[in-house]
Amino acid sequence: MLLQVTTTAPLPHRASLTEAIVSTDAIQQLSPLVPETEAESRRSSERVNLSPSWKRQVGVAQKVLTAVPLIAGDLVALLGCFYAVALLVTMTTGYSAHTEFFLQGIALGVVYFGVGALLGLFPATAVSPVYELKQLVTSSSIAFAMILVMNKLLAELSKLELVVAILGGCVASFMVPLARAATRRYFVRYRWWGERVIVIGSGLQGQAIYRFYDRARQRGLRPMGIVDSKYARSSEDPILEDTTIPYLGSLSDLSSLSKLTLARWGIVAPGGCDGLDMSEVMRCTTILPNIVILPSGFLLPSLWANPRECAGVMGIQVTDHLRNPLARFFKRSTDVIGAALGLFLLAPLFIVVIAWIKWKSPGPAFYGHQRIGRGGKTFKAWKFRSMVRNADAVLDEHLENDPDLRQEWFRDHKLKNDPRVIPGVGSLLRKWSLDEIPQLWNVLVGDMSLVGPRPIVTAEISKYENMYSLYLRVRPGITGLWQVSGRNDTSYDQRVRLDSYYVCNWSGWLDFYILTRTVRTIILKEGAY
């Protein structure tokens, strides 16, 4: 079994980070077989379990170990060019300003490091050499320009300093990129340098990507092997045409493999992989913090996605904001504050609506229905009761006698002219979406969010198909993309796509956009019945 074999060289929890990163003995023992049962996979996963804090430390260590040589090489080249030009100019002119140039060099290095960090030069993992060249020249030019500006603002800018800055900047524009390339070439021989990557997809595209990065390790990625949705049942039945490439196992083992290999990158290569789907790809973003997706027919996230050159092919690096603890804290804080404020301000409306409902239809004013929340947890979603008490019996009777109504119900689980609605108050509540106000309580206790997918019932799971795993990643919302995109005027397939889009593209800005659109939707009663 895959993970049972690899545990002969376990990664100790208390070993140094450098030892954990450079230890490849366990990885080299990876077998092309995978656990055949869920129980075996679970036991293997527990064997290589690493705590969240350990994984964060490993991730930071990988980036630092990869970045430090690049930073050192850049600064040596940059300051070498600056001091060499300054020395040459002072020797030629006879002007002595060693102290000033020494201090300017220190400032130059600090500015370059700050600009380079902002432009993603450290560690610049898996970037195109052409893009890296552009960022290196840009950083060098900005650093020398800033030195001139600071000299002008804080002191007197002499012609000699202007000449040194211009000549030094020109020379550095050539030497810094050369030093960066030389640094990469030199340190690629060390196993601790570079970040680990797993290729997802066993087709010809995935195999080509593996071979490319295995040859071009100077780009900062060290490929560990390939995973796919397929299983290899025996060594005589290889998944990969190129048997020299390590086949690590199924996507179901990715979590364990990421811990075992310490991989923080994944490249999704769908070419030739019929088994891969979007739900599996997005599940990868919950395991590996850096995912690059090559061109495919997937419904890729379009917001917050960045193009990235990958082995000569344009890929998309997606950002999963749901992994960001600060973003999740901000969303939950907004939910709690918004729900508490809404319940307080709308308390008078609650009293009016409760009295009206009881007057028109004796019985409880609130209605709770079991819904599916984040992680598959069921909860009771509360609403103002907008239907008659024997609503199920009324519905069954009308569906039995009206084939068109029955077809509409089974298609969308909604009825435009619903016979169960309480005349007057029920219609008003539904048209203005006031029946959902009690769900502010669900938000306050953590069952729901102000913004999210529409909460579904068990019977609707089959309609989500392979997108259901995306739905389970977030709390369902009082409002969401479906509610502001036509609501009941849209098909259920469109609703699933909208919910999937929301999960893949979530951010605080998207929530804010949906909340502002909700006001317009309520006022114009778009798609409400």
Side-chain angles (χ1 to χ4, degrees), residues 34 53 62 189 228 239 247 290 362 377 395 496 498 511 524:
V34 299
S53 61
Q62 279 190 10
R189 71 184 68 179
D228 204 300
I239 295 293
Y247 182 74
N290 302 289
K377 176 187 175 183
L395 175 63
V496 171
L498 289 169
D511 277 0
L524 298 180

Side-chain angles (χ1 to χ4, degrees), residues 164-273:
V164 169
I166 294 176
L167 290 178
C170 292
V171 176
S173 294
F174 288 97
M175 295 306 298
V176 171
L178 291 176
R180 171 62 69 99
T183 302
R184 286 185 177 276
R185 290 285 183 181
Y186 178 79
F187 282 95
V188 74
R189 71 184 68 179
Y190 297 104
R191 292 185 296 179
W192 52 263
W193 189 85
E195 297 188 75
R196 307 282 175 84
V197 61
I198 294 176
V199 179
I200 301 165
S202 63
L204 295 179
Q205 186 183 44
Q207 295 178 59
I209 291 296
Y210 178 92
R211 287 192 293 266
F212 175 85
Y213 281 109
D214 193 42
R215 293 192 305 267
R217 295 192 176 190
Q218 69 274 11
R219 295 202 178 190
L221 285 181
R222 288 184 175 270
M224 297 291 100
I226 289 179
V227 300
D228 204 300
S229 54
K230 303 175 184 178
Y231 283 88
R233 294 301 178 186
S234 67
S235 57
E236 289 77 23
D237 181 28
I239 295 293
L240 305 175
E241 292 185 9
D242 187 347
T243 56
T244 63
I245 298 176
Y247 182 74
L248 305 183
S250 169
L251 272 173
S252 60
D253 305 311
L254 185 59
S255 179
S256 299
L257 288 168
S258 69
K259 298 168 186 175
L260 178 65
T261 64
L262 303 179
R264 301 182 66 254
W265 283 77
I267 299 177
V268 180
C273 300

Side-chain angles (χ1 to χ4, degrees), residues 89-357:
V89 170
T90 53
M91 289 178 60
T92 303
T93 61
Y95 180 81
S96 178
H98 301 299
T99 303
E100 291 85 345
F101 284 132
F102 176 75
L103 295 176
Q104 289 176 19
I106 295 176
L108 180 69
V110 172
V111 173
Y112 174 84
F113 175 78
V115 175
L118 290 175
L119 295 181
L121 281 174
F122 315 121
T125 299
V127 300
S128 164
V130 176
Y131 180 78
E132 185 177 45
L133 171 65
K134 173 183 173 249
Q135 300 299 74
L136 288 169
V137 173
T138 300
S139 298
S140 301
S141 301
I142 292 177
F144 277 99
M146 287 297 297
I147 293 301
L148 292 177
V149 171
M150 286 190 290
N151 273 340
K152 184 67 176 178
L153 295 177
L154 303 178
E156 182 178 353
L157 179 63
S158 66
K159 292 183 179 179
L160 182 65
E161 291 171 332
L162 178 63
V163 171
V164 169
I166 294 176
L167 290 178
C170 292
V171 176
S173 294
F174 288 97
M175 295 306 298
V176 171
L178 291 176
R180 171 62 69 99
T183 302
R184 286 185 177 276
R185 290 285 183 181
Y186 178 79
F187 282 95
V188 74
R189 71 184 68 179
Y190 297 104
R191 292 185 296 179
W192 52 263
W193 189 85
E195 297 188 75
R196 307 282 175 84
V197 61
I198 294 176
V199 179
I200 301 165
S202 63
L204 295 179
Q205 186 183 44
Q207 295 178 59
I209 291 296
Y210 178 92
R211 287 192 293 266
F212 175 85
Y213 281 109
D214 193 42
R215 293 192 305 267
R217 295 192 176 190
Q218 69 274 11
R219 295 202 178 190
L221 285 181
R222 288 184 175 270
M224 297 291 100
I226 289 179
V227 300
D228 204 300
S229 54
K230 303 175 184 178
Y231 283 88
R233 294 301 178 186
S234 67
S235 57
E236 289 77 23
D237 181 28
I239 295 293
L240 305 175
E241 292 185 9
D242 187 347
T243 56
T244 63
I245 298 176
Y247 182 74
L248 305 183
S250 169
L251 272 173
S252 60
D253 305 311
L254 185 59
S255 179
S256 299
L257 288 168
S258 69
K259 298 168 186 175
L260 178 65
T261 64
L262 303 179
R264 301 182 66 254
W265 283 77
I267 299 177
V268 180
C273 300
D274 298 332
L276 282 178
D277 58 46
M278 188 57 198
S279 63
E280 291 180 314
V281 172
M282 290 309 298
R283 192 158 55 245
C284 295
T285 65
T286 67
I287 300 172
L288 300 170
N290 302 289
I291 290 287
V292 178
I293 306 176
L294 301 186
S296 68
F298 291 151
L299 176 66
L300 296 179
S302 56
L303 300 178
W304 333 123
N306 299 308
R308 181 180 284 271
E309 191 266 353
C310 183
V313 179
M314 190 202 74
I316 298 296
Q317 182 176 5
V318 298
T319 301
D320 185 5
H321 290 259
L322 292 172
R323 293 175 56 93
N324 187 329
L326 183 61
R328 294 199 306 268
F329 174 78
F330 176 78
K331 180 175 176 64
R332 181 60 188 150
S333 301
T334 303
D335 286 342
V336 172
I337 295 172
L341 188 62
L343 289 170
F344 175 76
L345 295 177
L346 296 174
L349 178 62
F350 270 63
I351 298 174
V352 173
V353 172
I354 290 171
W356 194 2
I357 291 174

Side-chain angles (χ1 to χ4, degrees), residues 17 38 52 59 84 90 102 191 202 311 428 461 464 471 493-494:
L17 292 175
E38 182 179 351
T90 53
F102 176 75
R191 292 185 296 179
S202 63
L428 180 68
I461 294 177
Y464 274 74
Y471 170 87
D493 287 342
Q494 290 173 312

